[in-house]
Amino acid sequence: MADNDPQSARELSQFAENLLQQLQENFEALTDKLLLRTDEMGERIDDLEKHVTGLMAQAGIENTSEELMH
């Protein structure tokens, strides 16, 4: 059984290393996806602010988007 222990330890170490590598890759992919979604959401918010400002101008409301933010 002593002969099996070093092999088992190496296999376990390799398994753990592979698992950690997979976790890191998945984490990086998730991080990239979240950053992309955050950027997209920011663009949508900017577009929404522009549309609201345009609608307010059409309605004769003189508040600007900067005034609304305060």
Side-chain angles (χ1 to χ4, degrees):
M1 186 143 217
D3 291 337
N4 290 338
D5 288 341
Q7 183 65 28
S8 296
R10 276 184 286 205
E11 288 175 357
L12 182 58
S13 177
Q14 185 63 43
F15 175 78
E17 189 175 325
N18 289 340
L19 183 60
L20 288 173
Q21 181 65 34
Q22 289 175 355
L23 287 171
Q24 181 176 352
E25 290 170 2
N26 288 341
F27 181 77
E28 288 173 358
L30 182 59
T31 300
D32 291 344
K33 193 174 199 178
L34 286 171
L35 289 173
L36 179 63
R37 295 277 173 99
T38 302
D39 288 344
E40 289 173 352
M41 191 181 336
E43 291 174 8
R44 287 181 175 182
I45 290 171
D46 290 344
D47 288 344
L48 181 60
E49 287 177 343
K50 289 176 188 174
H51 286 102
V52 168
T53 300
L55 289 171
M56 290 174 68
Q58 289 177 2
I61 300 172
E62 295 186 15
N63 290 348
T64 65
S65 59
E66 291 176 358
E67 291 172 338
L68 292 174
M69 306 275 288
H70 297 294

